[in-house]
Amino acid sequence: CNGVHVKLARRKKRRKTPPKRCKVVRNKRTGRRRKVCKKKVHRRRPAAAPIPQPLPQIPVPSAAAPPATTPGAFEPPPTDDAPAPAPAPPPPPPASAPLTRRDAERLLWRAGFGPRRGEAETLAAKGRTAAVESLTRPVGSPSFNGPSPVDEDGFPIDPENVWGHDHTWWIDRMVRSSQPLVERMTLIWHDWFATTNDDVGDARLMLEQNRLFRAHALGSFATLAREVTRNPAMLIFLNGLENHEGRPNENYARELMELFTLGADRGAYTETDVRELARALTGWTADWDEEAGTYIDFRVEPWLHDDGTKTLWDGTSYEKSGAFDWEDAVRLCLEHPMHAEFFVRKLWSYFIPTPPSDATRTELQSLYVSSGRQIRPVVEAILKHPDLYDRAKPMVKPPAVYTAGLLRARNRPVDTNAWSWLGQMSGQQLFYPPNVSGWNDNGWLDTSTIRGRWETVYVAIAPYEIDGDDYPADETPEEALDSALAFWDRPTLTTETRAELLRFATESIPATLASWEQGYMRAYRQNALRHLIATAPDFQTS
């Protein structure tokens, strides 16, 4: 009896802060999932955006190394375990596969954030295999080209304490890093294991999770899934701290299977499996630091863990039964016979908008399993696949990728915090995905987000605006278009887009202008052409 009273007293003592009562619900119309809580302790969300309407004639996709310490740049503390080294991948497709400049542009956009000036030509000269491996096999820690980010007043940004600086901090890494694929994979994992600071309420923990994604960006998926499961931001977001023996919370167990490892509506698990997996995940707790206003000391307490026998996938040939804990829960999901296919299909969708053929999918699944569930070999194979370079398979660039690409093309430093609210307008504020399913890639371009992209271009090119003084008054429309294309390092455009731009350049200067107005109007035309090129469908997609 004394033991029981001690256990109850300890449990009561730790309940200083009443836990939030949350559940994950599914929208019956869209099928997407979101978390609903009775009590919220975070800042108010922005007002609801207008109902988006798809824009016509815009292609839409089907889905969606440790950092160096640089002066003035924020780095969250390292994770407990270093990323496991990836084994050498099997031989790639034929090394003789050519790579055109247009192919190199697409590769740099899909495996990074677009080309810097002259980078597409340099990459194309390497051929497809060498070009891909130069991105997937970076050596050492990344370097950062250019000055560290500052705010509008020239002071270093403070991502832990100032609103929007977390978004700006990450945009800066995307722009300046010498390892763009590592940053792009970090963005993919942020969407895959979507966690929002609206619910976590601690930028420090969100940045720590970001560091986790980067450290394991191209390593072992098994290690990544394990570390995410015990990550403080995830434990808060999906109620891991409320999942205890006798009153299990099923939120993380459900999403671990549905969104992270197995997929929904495939027959991979049942509601009973969700409950049994939730029991295996019990035991996590943390202490509330009243002074800091956050949780600290995340750990598993044996007296909060359900150590009874759990049975998963009962009645199948792969049924598992035992006194499983949280590490077993992750391992068993990855050993499920339907995991490899889910992993390959979902990872593929971030790079190519159409599903892989059955033969390709089978090959990638075999590669993933034989490599010990390593990420790098599968990414390499996808980036070398002919489907990635198919002209008929464009993808809309995510807003963060689009923004970083504009700055990379101009080699412009991050010297304003405008990128945070512009990202919000465009539909992607980093560290704030809309729900547990991540961002909806089908909504990247619609009537509620296109204005954000238009404003993003305006801010990106504002320092280079031409005021009209001493501008050539005899510049022809062809010369104007050529100059504007050179401003963006001559991105590949379709014949139709070039024709429309030339038509604008021709018709925008009235023939009746006085001679003293000619130079000014041609300067304004040049500013407009630069903006139109960056907002054209060719530049919005890759």
Side-chain angles (χ1 to χ4, degrees):
C1 292
N2 288 339
V4 172
H5 288 307
V6 169
K7 184 174 182 179
L8 291 175
R10 291 177 65 188
R11 181 175 295 178
K12 182 176 181 181
K13 183 179 180 181
R14 295 192 183 280
R15 289 186 190 168
K16 289 185 177 180
T17 303
K20 294 183 293 182
R21 295 299 180 185
C22 302
K23 64 179 180 178
V24 175
V25 298
R26 173 182 287 177
N27 186 303
K28 294 182 179 180
R29 182 175 62 84
T30 65
R32 293 179 64 79
R33 306 182 66 81
R34 65 189 181 91
K35 188 172 76 168
V36 176
C37 299
K38 290 185 179 179
K39 284 189 177 182
K40 292 283 187 179
V41 291
H42 52 74
R43 64 179 179 81
R44 187 183 300 274
R45 290 178 182 266
I51 298 176
Q53 300 296 325
L55 291 175
Q57 300 178 351
I58 297 294
V60 178
S62 60
T69 301
T70 56
F74 169 82
E75 289 300 339
T79 53
D80 294 342
D81 297 340
S96 59
L99 196 69
T100 65
R101 186 187 191 277
R102 186 172 183 175
D103 291 338
E105 286 178 348
R106 172 167 286 189
L107 176 60
L108 287 166
W109 277 110
R110 298 215 184 157
F113 307 91
R116 292 194 179 99
R117 189 167 295 272
E119 192 174 13
E121 291 86 354
T122 301
L123 198 68
K126 296 180 179 181
R128 185 182 300 179
T129 297
V132 168
E133 292 178 359
S134 70
L135 298 171
T136 59
R137 306 183 187 187
V139 178
S141 299
S143 59
F144 295 91
N145 178 44
S148 298
V150 295
D151 62 17
E152 290 84 351
D153 299 318
F155 294 106
I157 62 173
D158 184 3
E160 282 194 2
N161 300 300
V162 180
W163 182 91
H165 281 198
D166 49 359
H167 180 100
T168 301
W169 170 81
W170 198 359
I171 289 290
D172 173 72
R173 291 192 65 99
M174 296 174 184
V175 173
R176 294 195 297 133
S177 177
S178 63
Q179 298 180 2
L181 179 59
V182 172
E183 289 301 321
R184 187 60 181 269
M185 292 302 302
T186 304
L187 181 60
I188 287 174
W189 300 131
H190 179 38
D191 183 71
W192 190 304
F193 299 99
T195 310
T196 174
N197 200 34
D198 270 336
D199 293 294
V200 176
D202 191 332
R204 177 183 59 86
L205 296 182
M206 294 297 296
L207 290 164
E208 181 181 320
Q209 186 187 71
N210 182 266
R211 164 70 174 85
L212 166 65
F213 292 149
R214 186 173 295 106
H216 300 283
L218 290 165
S220 164
F221 185 77
T223 302
L224 175 61
R226 174 181 176 273
E227 293 304 307
V228 167
T229 299
R230 70 171 185 171
N231 175 254
M234 183 61 79
L235 285 169
I236 294 173
F237 178 58
L238 285 181
N239 311 107
L241 300 182
E242 301 169 27
N243 186 19
H244 299 157
E245 180 186 10
R247 50 184 182 92
N249 185 295
E250 300 173 4
N251 281 352
Y252 187 74
R254 185 179 304 279
E255 307 312 340
L256 177 61
M257 291 192 286
E258 178 173 336
L259 297 176
F260 305 160
T261 62
L262 299 179
D265 304 322
R266 305 174 64 219
Y269 62 91
T270 66
E271 287 298 310
T272 299
D273 294 324
V274 172
R275 291 190 289 271
E276 293 293 279
L277 197 70
R279 292 177 57 213
L281 291 162
T282 54
W284 285 100
T285 189
D287 297 327
W288 178 258
D289 187 326
E290 199 69 46
E291 183 177 349
T294 187
Y295 285 101
I296 60 174
D297 191 19
F298 292 79
R299 64 197 182 278
V300 173
E301 287 283 11
W303 62 278
L304 293 174
H305 173 64
D306 183 343
D307 57 3
T309 300
K310 300 95 180 175
T311 301
L312 293 168
W313 309 299
D314 187 22
T316 67
S317 60
Y318 44 90
E319 175 185 322
K320 303 291 182 181
S321 184
F324 302 132
D325 61 11
W326 71 273
E327 292 180 282
D328 295 320
V330 178
R331 174 180 57 81
L332 292 171
C333 285
L334 300 188
E335 291 176 355
H336 192 289
M338 298 179 73
H339 164 65
E341 181 182 4
F342 168 83
F343 174 84
V344 165
R345 283 186 179 275
K346 186 165 183 174
L347 185 61
W348 173 280
S349 72
Y350 283 101
F351 298 100
I352 301 171
T354 56
S357 66
D358 290 342
T360 297
R361 176 180 51 77
T362 301
E363 291 175 3
L364 293 176
Q365 287 176 219
S366 177
L367 178 61
Y368 174 60
V369 174
S370 64
S371 68
R373 300 187 182 86
Q374 293 293 316
I375 300 164
R376 187 193 316 271
V378 183
V379 172
E380 277 192 352
I382 293 173
L383 296 181
K384 293 173 184 177
H385 198 279
D387 281 8
L388 187 108
Y389 306 95
D390 188 339
R391 299 287 181 267
K393 298 178 179 180
M395 295 182 76
V396 176
K397 298 166 185 172
V401 174
Y402 177 68
T403 299
L406 292 171
L407 301 180
R408 283 173 63 89
R410 291 302 308 166
N411 198 28
R412 181 186 165 179
V414 173
D415 53 6
T416 174
N417 193 38
W419 310 118
S420 54
W421 59 263
L422 286 170
Q424 193 177 57
M425 285 180 63
S426 302
Q428 189 178 35
Q429 185 179 5
L430 300 174
F431 300 100
Y432 291 88
N435 52 56
V436 70
S437 299
W439 285 281
N440 177 15
D441 292 357
N442 291 310
W444 283 147
L445 273 182
D446 56 43
T447 53
S448 69
T449 60
I450 189 63
R451 184 188 169 200
R453 291 184 180 239
W454 183 270
E455 295 286 349
T456 296
V457 177
Y458 178 82
V459 174
I461 66 177
Y464 313 102
E465 182 179 357
I466 302 171
D467 60 11
D469 293 335
D470 302 321
Y471 197 84
D474 58 350
E475 181 185 62
T476 66
E478 291 78 10
E479 291 171 339
L481 178 56
D482 185 72
S483 178
L485 289 171
F487 177 83
W488 292 115
D489 196 27
R490 304 187 183 283
T492 302
L493 303 178
T494 63
T495 302
E496 294 78 10
T497 297
R498 293 180 69 97
E500 283 298 309
L501 291 169
L502 184 58
R503 184 181 64 83
F504 168 81
T506 301
E507 299 177 359
S508 60
I509 305 293
T512 57
L513 282 180
S515 59
W516 64 270
E517 296 177 295
Q518 295 288 338
Y520 283 99
M521 288 302 296
R522 280 163 170 75
Y524 301 154
R525 177 177 67 182
Q526 181 61 209
N527 292 331
L529 282 170
R530 294 174 179 180
H531 200 134
L532 289 171
I533 289 171
T535 53
D538 307 59
F539 211 102
Q540 301 281 357
T541 59
S542 64

